[in-house]
Short mmCIF file of all heavy atoms in Angstrom, two decimals:
data_model
loop_
_atom_site.label_atom_id
_atom_site.label_comp_id
_atom_site.label_asym_id
_atom_site.label_seq_id
_atom_site.Cartn_x
_atom_site.Cartn_y
_atom_site.Cartn_z
N GLY A 1175 -100.51 36.41 80.77
CA GLY A 1175 -100.87 37.35 79.72
C GLY A 1175 -102.35 37.22 79.40
O GLY A 1175 -103.16 36.84 80.25
N GLN A 1176 -102.68 37.51 78.15
CA GLN A 1176 -104.08 37.48 77.74
C GLN A 1176 -104.71 36.11 78.03
O GLN A 1176 -105.79 36.01 78.60
CB GLN A 1176 -104.14 37.79 76.25
CG GLN A 1176 -105.36 38.57 75.88
CD GLN A 1176 -105.54 38.61 74.37
OE1 GLN A 1176 -104.83 37.92 73.62
NE2 GLN A 1176 -106.46 39.40 73.92
N ARG A 1177 -104.00 35.05 77.66
CA ARG A 1177 -104.59 33.70 77.79
C ARG A 1177 -104.63 33.24 79.25
O ARG A 1177 -105.64 32.78 79.74
CB ARG A 1177 -103.81 32.68 76.95
CG ARG A 1177 -103.72 32.98 75.50
CD ARG A 1177 -105.05 33.15 74.84
NE ARG A 1177 -105.92 32.02 75.01
CZ ARG A 1177 -107.22 32.00 74.69
NH1 ARG A 1177 -107.79 33.08 74.19
NH2 ARG A 1177 -107.94 30.93 74.88
N ASP A 1199 -95.39 35.16 86.62
CA ASP A 1199 -95.17 35.86 85.35
C ASP A 1199 -93.98 36.78 85.55
O ASP A 1199 -93.80 37.34 86.63
CB ASP A 1199 -96.40 36.68 84.94
CG ASP A 1199 -96.34 37.08 83.47
OD1 ASP A 1199 -95.46 37.89 83.09
OD2 ASP A 1199 -97.19 36.58 82.69
N LYS A 1200 -93.19 36.93 84.48
CA LYS A 1200 -92.02 37.80 84.65
C LYS A 1200 -92.42 39.27 84.68
O LYS A 1200 -91.59 40.12 85.01
CB LYS A 1200 -90.97 37.50 83.57
CG LYS A 1200 -91.41 37.71 82.16
CD LYS A 1200 -90.29 37.27 81.23
CE LYS A 1200 -90.67 37.56 79.79
NZ LYS A 1200 -89.71 37.09 78.83
N GLU A 1221 -89.38 32.20 86.64
CA GLU A 1221 -89.68 30.76 86.52
C GLU A 1221 -88.78 29.91 87.41
O GLU A 1221 -89.18 28.86 87.89
CB GLU A 1221 -89.60 30.30 85.05
CG GLU A 1221 -88.20 30.38 84.44
CD GLU A 1221 -88.15 29.87 83.01
OE1 GLU A 1221 -88.64 30.56 82.12
OE2 GLU A 1221 -87.62 28.76 82.79
N THR A 1238 -97.48 30.54 78.78
CA THR A 1238 -96.41 31.46 78.38
C THR A 1238 -96.33 31.47 76.84
O THR A 1238 -97.23 30.98 76.17
CB THR A 1238 -95.07 30.99 79.00
OG1 THR A 1238 -94.99 29.56 78.87
CG2 THR A 1238 -95.00 31.36 80.46
N GLN A 1239 -95.26 32.03 76.29
CA GLN A 1239 -95.20 32.16 74.84
C GLN A 1239 -94.75 30.87 74.14
O GLN A 1239 -94.22 29.95 74.78
CB GLN A 1239 -94.27 33.33 74.47
CG GLN A 1239 -94.99 34.68 74.47
CD GLN A 1239 -96.12 34.74 73.43
OE1 GLN A 1239 -96.22 33.89 72.53
NE2 GLN A 1239 -96.99 35.74 73.55
N ASP A 1240 -94.98 30.85 72.83
CA ASP A 1240 -94.81 29.63 72.02
C ASP A 1240 -93.52 28.83 72.31
O ASP A 1240 -93.57 27.62 72.44
CB ASP A 1240 -94.82 29.99 70.52
CG ASP A 1240 -96.11 30.68 70.08
OD1 ASP A 1240 -96.92 31.04 70.95
OD2 ASP A 1240 -96.30 30.87 68.87
N ASP A 1242 -91.69 28.80 74.90
CA ASP A 1242 -91.45 28.46 76.32
C ASP A 1242 -92.21 27.21 76.76
O ASP A 1242 -91.93 26.66 77.83
CB ASP A 1242 -91.92 29.62 77.23
CG ASP A 1242 -91.20 30.91 76.93
OD1 ASP A 1242 -90.00 30.86 76.67
OD2 ASP A 1242 -91.87 31.97 76.95
N HIS A 1243 -93.21 26.80 75.98
CA HIS A 1243 -94.13 25.75 76.46
C HIS A 1243 -93.42 24.44 76.79
O HIS A 1243 -93.68 23.83 77.82
CB HIS A 1243 -95.21 25.48 75.40
CG HIS A 1243 -96.08 26.67 75.13
ND1 HIS A 1243 -96.80 26.84 73.97
CD2 HIS A 1243 -96.34 27.78 75.86
CE1 HIS A 1243 -97.46 27.98 74.01
NE2 HIS A 1243 -97.19 28.57 75.15
N GLU A 1261 -100.80 25.89 76.49
CA GLU A 1261 -101.28 26.66 75.35
C GLU A 1261 -100.73 26.10 74.05
O GLU A 1261 -99.69 25.44 74.03
CB GLU A 1261 -100.88 28.15 75.50
CG GLU A 1261 -102.00 29.06 75.93
CD GLU A 1261 -103.27 28.95 75.06
OE1 GLU A 1261 -103.20 28.39 73.95
OE2 GLU A 1261 -104.32 29.42 75.50
N LYS A 1262 -101.44 26.36 72.99
CA LYS A 1262 -100.97 26.03 71.65
C LYS A 1262 -100.13 27.19 71.14
O LYS A 1262 -100.34 28.30 71.62
CB LYS A 1262 -102.11 25.71 70.68
CG LYS A 1262 -103.25 26.72 70.64
CD LYS A 1262 -103.24 28.05 70.00
CE LYS A 1262 -102.28 28.71 69.19
NZ LYS A 1262 -102.54 30.10 68.83
N CYS A 1288 -104.53 23.58 74.51
CA CYS A 1288 -105.67 24.52 74.46
C CYS A 1288 -106.19 24.75 73.04
O CYS A 1288 -106.18 25.88 72.53
CB CYS A 1288 -105.27 25.86 75.07
SG CYS A 1288 -104.85 25.76 76.80
N ASN A 1334 -96.75 40.33 69.16
CA ASN A 1334 -95.95 39.20 69.65
C ASN A 1334 -95.53 38.18 68.60
O ASN A 1334 -94.54 37.48 68.77
CB ASN A 1334 -96.76 38.42 70.69
CG ASN A 1334 -96.81 39.13 72.01
OD1 ASN A 1334 -95.95 39.94 72.30
ND2 ASN A 1334 -97.82 38.82 72.83
N TRP A 1335 -96.35 38.03 67.54
CA TRP A 1335 -96.12 36.92 66.62
C TRP A 1335 -95.60 37.41 65.27
O TRP A 1335 -95.82 36.79 64.25
CB TRP A 1335 -97.40 36.09 66.46
CG TRP A 1335 -97.77 35.45 67.76
CD1 TRP A 1335 -97.30 34.27 68.25
CD2 TRP A 1335 -98.63 35.98 68.79
NE1 TRP A 1335 -97.80 34.03 69.50
CE2 TRP A 1335 -98.62 35.07 69.86
CE3 TRP A 1335 -99.38 37.14 68.91
CZ2 TRP A 1335 -99.35 35.27 71.03
CZ3 TRP A 1335 -100.11 37.35 70.08
CH2 TRP A 1335 -100.09 36.42 71.11
N HIS A 1351 -104.94 25.65 65.29
CA HIS A 1351 -106.32 25.28 65.63
C HIS A 1351 -107.06 24.72 64.41
O HIS A 1351 -107.84 23.78 64.52
CB HIS A 1351 -107.12 26.52 66.03
CG HIS A 1351 -106.86 27.03 67.39
ND1 HIS A 1351 -106.68 26.23 68.47
CD2 HIS A 1351 -106.78 28.31 67.86
CE1 HIS A 1351 -106.50 26.99 69.55
NE2 HIS A 1351 -106.55 28.24 69.20
N HIS A 1524 -113.72 33.16 70.19
CA HIS A 1524 -114.05 31.80 70.62
C HIS A 1524 -114.25 31.70 72.14
O HIS A 1524 -113.80 30.75 72.77
CB HIS A 1524 -113.01 30.81 70.13
CG HIS A 1524 -111.59 31.27 70.28
ND1 HIS A 1524 -111.01 31.51 71.51
CD2 HIS A 1524 -110.63 31.51 69.37
CE1 HIS A 1524 -109.75 31.86 71.32
NE2 HIS A 1524 -109.50 31.88 70.03
N1 NAD B 587 -105.74 29.03 72.59
C1 NAD B 587 -105.90 30.13 71.88
O1 NAD B 587 -106.91 30.35 71.24
C2 NAD B 587 -104.79 31.14 71.85
C3 NAD B 587 -105.05 32.44 71.41
C4 NAD B 587 -104.01 33.35 71.40
C5 NAD B 587 -102.75 32.97 71.81
N2 NAD B 587 -102.52 31.68 72.20
C6 NAD B 587 -101.19 31.23 72.66
O2 NAD B 587 -101.16 31.36 74.07
C7 NAD B 587 -99.84 31.72 74.51
C8 NAD B 587 -99.93 33.01 75.31
O3 NAD B 587 -100.49 34.02 74.51
P1 NAD B 587 -100.94 35.42 75.14
O4 NAD B 587 -101.76 36.10 74.12
O5 NAD B 587 -101.47 35.21 76.49
O6 NAD B 587 -99.52 36.12 75.21
P2 NAD B 587 -99.04 37.21 76.27
O7 NAD B 587 -97.75 37.74 75.75
O8 NAD B 587 -100.16 38.14 76.57
O9 NAD B 587 -98.77 36.33 77.58
C9 NAD B 587 -97.61 35.59 77.81
C10 NAD B 587 -97.19 35.89 79.23
O10 NAD B 587 -96.11 35.03 79.58
C11 NAD B 587 -95.20 35.79 80.34
N3 NAD B 587 -93.91 35.12 80.29
C12 NAD B 587 -93.11 35.00 79.20
N4 NAD B 587 -92.02 34.29 79.54
C13 NAD B 587 -92.14 33.97 80.84
C14 NAD B 587 -91.32 33.25 81.74
N5 NAD B 587 -90.17 32.72 81.36
N6 NAD B 587 -91.76 33.09 83.01
C15 NAD B 587 -92.94 33.62 83.40
N7 NAD B 587 -93.74 34.34 82.58
C16 NAD B 587 -93.35 34.49 81.32
C17 NAD B 587 -95.22 37.17 79.72
O11 NAD B 587 -94.73 38.16 80.60
C18 NAD B 587 -96.68 37.33 79.40
O12 NAD B 587 -97.40 37.98 80.42
C19 NAD B 587 -99.00 31.84 73.24
O13 NAD B 587 -98.28 30.67 73.04
C20 NAD B 587 -100.03 32.03 72.14
O14 NAD B 587 -99.59 31.58 70.89
C21 NAD B 587 -103.52 30.79 72.25
#
Side-chain angles (χ1 to χ4, degrees):
Q1176 214 192 9
R1177 302 304 304 170
D1199 196 293
K1200 61 184 184 184
E1221 65 178 73
T1238 43
Q1239 275 298 346
D1240 301 9
D1242 300 321
H1243 298 158
E1261 256 307 345
K1262 50 75 5 186
C1288 297
N1334 284 337
W1335 296 274
H1351 283 320
H1524 44 63

